[in-house]
Amino acid sequence: GDSSGVVRVRTGEFGCSWVPVFSSAAVRTSEAEKHWLVGLDAQGVFCVVCTDSAPLPAVHPRPVLQMLPLKVPLVSSDTAVGGMEEQHFRSTLMM
């Protein structure tokens, strides 16, 4: 991710552009929550949830990974059809 908490994937579509697929700010449960990204697959982002008081993941014991869902920002993803379009668009990006 970048410093603003956005993960982008480069795609051959749309002139080989970088498309945002995850926003840390959109899934935070509090302002103190930070996400230490570890991996990415077609379903989500694997991360360690950290806080302002502990901004880096612990080494011992081994931290627990959480999978947070990907979401491509589309104009109308709030509707059922928009949700299906977002899912289809995301699957074509990850191929």
Side-chain angles (χ1 to χ4, degrees):
D2 62 12
S3 59
S4 64
V6 176
V7 175
R8 293 174 174 83
V9 174
R10 188 169 184 271
T11 176
E13 304 292 321
F14 311 111
C16 294
S17 61
W18 290 88
V19 178
V21 293
F22 176 79
S23 171
S24 180
V27 297
R28 267 189 245 151
T29 57
S30 73
E31 281 295 315
E33 186 174 293
K34 308 290 185 226
H35 301 108
W36 185 274
L37 299 180
V38 177
L40 170 75
D41 71 6
Q43 301 304 312
V45 170
F46 295 93
C47 67
V48 177
V49 177
C50 302
T51 61
D52 283 342
S53 61
L56 300 174
V59 176
H60 186 73
R62 184 175 285 182
V64 176
L65 293 181
Q66 280 194 328
M67 188 179 92
L68 300 174
L70 298 177
K71 183 166 172 128
V72 178
L74 296 176
V75 174
S76 64
S77 61
D78 298 340
T79 64
V81 172
M84 288 188 290
E85 287 177 342
E86 188 272 336
Q87 186 177 17
H88 173 70
F89 185 71
R90 188 170 18 102
S91 69
T92 60
L93 285 176
M94 298 298 178
M95 289 184 169

